[in-house]
Amino acid sequence: MTETADEADEPAPRARIFADLTPLRTSPDYRRLWFGNTVSWVGQGMTALAVSLQVYDLTGSAFSVGLIGFCSLVPLVVFGLYGGAVADTVDRRKLGLASAFGSFVLSVGLVAITVAGVERVGLLYAVVALQAVCFALNSPARSSMIARLLPAEQLPAANALNSMTSTTGGLVGPMLGGLIVGWWGYRAAYGIDAVTFTASLYAMWRLPAMLPDRGEGAAGAAKRASVMDGLRFLGTRPNLRMTFFTDMCAMVLANPRALFPVVAALWYGGDAKTTGLLVAAPALGALLGGVFSGWLGRIRRQGLAVLFAVASWGTAIAVFGLTRQLWLGLIFLALAGAADTTSMVFRNTMLQAAVPDGMRGRLQGVFIVVVAGGPRLGDFLAGSVADLVSPAVAVTGGGVACVAAVAVLALRWPRFARYDAHDPEA
């Protein structure tokens, strides 16, 4: 039978289901960057676990381990905004290369500290803080590059692939880190992390120059890029603000991760292994959301998709709070993770497509602050409500509050639901 033109253009069934690999096939620069970042994320996941284990070995204090997160949060918030402004001023390739090299040097420094037998927790905290600075400078530069390497129609597919990078690093890295520390010690984990950074360095090295566009929205970029200019620009773009507001609804109001140890014991009669399953379930769902993301590229109403995805996250978390069977709870956490991937893909795509190139770094800097700060505020809120009332109220109430807040935002800014990917309007 002879195919018609329409039938010949129809995507294969696999492309409708699984992640769209077109960005990897069509852009060698993006392919190298994606592979380098994937390898580096796994190495960073290994180091994050190794540092936590080493701090606990040195102090025997869970509080000291918790301080690791604080040491990374402050630099991420401060330098996230600053890194975005720098990315809108200088060659983003050079900034990405310099910050990746800084992370490489810090990993080598951890190896040296361990080999020398220096047992000072303060040094580990300092390295973690400096790693966060390098990440805060690297991430806006790297994210701003994507829209320059790929056409707009490939951005959803690229962001889905990027979500798989971070999720794989969060899942595989800690598992490998635990095994390597157990077999060969901390120096081996830090050494492997240093080696993995060479993949990211090579990818950055092969990129062309990435000077910010001096066109609309980039006035004065040749001299400087002001953080305040970026915030003022965001203040005039309600659709872009909504991408941040909706994410805060999910991460602040309905983020139960701080309660997983309590939930594992009280609801499921479990232990540390049960807690590990609860932690892994959203990450696994997020990874599967990336694997089965082929349909995302065909969504035009991306704002509506974000609203639906965040509401789905809140609903899944609320139902998780009502479950008392572990297998059922894990399913709803995985569903929440998949919804989070969908939200992240479209929010990132909107930031890349609806923002002038000269502003992309600063908006990505704001994105880092929201992503870094939102979950920490969510941890505090969930823990406080659980202590004052109960874990069930904290989890289910948080999920319901998330859905309600998204509904209020959708009513307040109805244009967001009408956002059209074929005619981006910030």
Side-chain angles (χ1 to χ4, degrees):
M1 181 180 294
T2 303
E3 288 183 320
T4 66
D6 289 341
E7 289 169 341
D9 292 337
E10 192 73 15
R14 179 178 293 273
R16 298 176 182 176
I17 300 174
F18 294 103
D20 184 356
L21 304 182
T22 302
L24 297 177
R25 291 196 300 266
T26 59
S27 173
D29 287 329
Y30 175 76
R31 182 167 60 245
R32 284 189 293 268
L33 192 63
W34 181 84
F35 177 78
N37 289 338
T38 300
V39 174
S40 297
W41 269 92
V42 172
Q44 290 173 71
M46 291 170 49
T47 288
L49 181 73
V51 169
S52 297
L53 292 173
Q54 190 169 11
V55 167
Y56 188 74
D57 280 348
L58 293 176
T59 65
S61 166
F63 176 77
S64 297
V65 176
L67 283 178
I68 296 173
F70 179 78
C71 290
S72 63
L73 174 62
V74 174
L76 281 174
V77 171
V78 174
F79 284 90
L81 294 175
Y82 175 72
V86 174
D88 284 341
T89 304
V90 304
D91 184 345
R92 290 162 180 164
R93 171 189 173 271
K94 291 182 179 178
L95 177 60
L97 192 60
S99 52
F101 182 74
S103 296
F104 166 77
V105 170
L106 290 168
S107 294
V108 173
L110 284 172
V111 176
I113 290 171
T114 308
V115 170
V118 178
E119 297 184 345
R120 294 186 179 179
V121 175
L123 271 178
L124 296 177
Y125 287 156
V127 170
V128 167
L130 290 173
Q131 285 177 328
V133 171
C134 289
F135 178 81
L137 294 173
N138 184 274
S139 185
R142 188 178 65 244
S143 298
S144 301
M145 295 174 185
I146 304 300
R148 297 274 290 271
L149 297 175
L150 298 168
E153 63 270 16
Q154 292 184 21
L155 291 179
N159 287 313
L161 291 170
N162 293 341
S163 75
M164 294 170 63
T165 290
S166 57
T167 307
T168 299
L171 279 174
V172 177
M175 289 191 295
L176 286 179
L179 291 174
I180 291 169
V181 168
W183 289 339
W184 299 305
Y186 298 115
R187 71 185 70 176
Y190 298 144
I192 293 173
D193 182 25
V195 172
T196 63
F197 266 111
T198 59
S200 181
L201 286 169
Y202 175 74
M204 289 285 183
W205 180 266
R206 291 290 303 274
L207 288 173
M210 290 277 181
L211 287 168
D213 185 2
R214 308 306 188 200
E216 180 186 355
K223 296 181 179 179
R224 65 178 179 84
S226 167
V227 172
M228 292 307 300
D229 283 346
L231 295 176
R232 281 191 288 268
F233 173 83
L234 183 60
T236 64
R237 299 298 191 272
N239 282 339
L240 294 181
R241 291 200 306 274
M242 278 287 286
T243 66
F244 296 113
F245 291 160
T246 52
D247 188 49
M248 293 294 283
C249 288
M251 294 298 99
V252 176
L253 299 176
N255 184 12
R257 66 177 187 176
L259 303 180
F260 283 161
V262 177
V263 165
L266 292 182
W267 295 359
Y268 306 120
D271 52 15
K273 295 179 181 178
T274 308
T275 302
L277 290 174
L278 295 175
V279 171
L284 180 59
L287 180 59
L288 291 175
V291 170
F292 297 100
S293 62
W295 59 278
L296 297 181
R298 299 192 300 276
I299 302 298
R300 290 183 57 174
R301 300 280 293 278
Q302 294 178 348
L304 182 62
V306 170
L307 294 171
F308 181 79
V310 176
S312 297
W313 163 280
T315 301
I317 294 299
V319 177
F320 164 71
L322 300 175
T323 63
R324 294 302 179 268
Q325 292 183 319
L326 180 59
W327 66 270
L328 190 58
L330 294 176
I331 288 175
F332 280 102
L333 286 177
L335 290 173
D340 187 49
T341 289
T342 301
S343 168
M344 185 278 297
V345 166
F346 289 127
R347 286 184 291 108
N348 253 330
T349 300
M350 293 171 72
L351 285 177
Q352 292 161 344
V355 176
D357 184 71
M359 280 286 179
R360 284 189 184 124
R362 279 165 282 185
L363 269 293
Q364 289 293 336
V366 177
F367 183 83
I368 290 176
V369 172
V370 171
V371 170
R376 271 75 176 187
L377 291 175
D379 290 345
F380 176 77
L381 180 62
S384 300
V385 174
D387 279 346
L388 291 173
V389 188
S390 72
V393 170
V395 176
T396 298
V400 172
C402 171
V403 175
V406 168
V408 170
L409 288 174
L411 292 173
R412 176 63 180 82
W413 286 283
R415 286 176 52 198
F416 184 68
R418 298 193 295 269
Y419 178 92
D420 187 347
H422 291 187
D423 185 23
E425 181 184 356

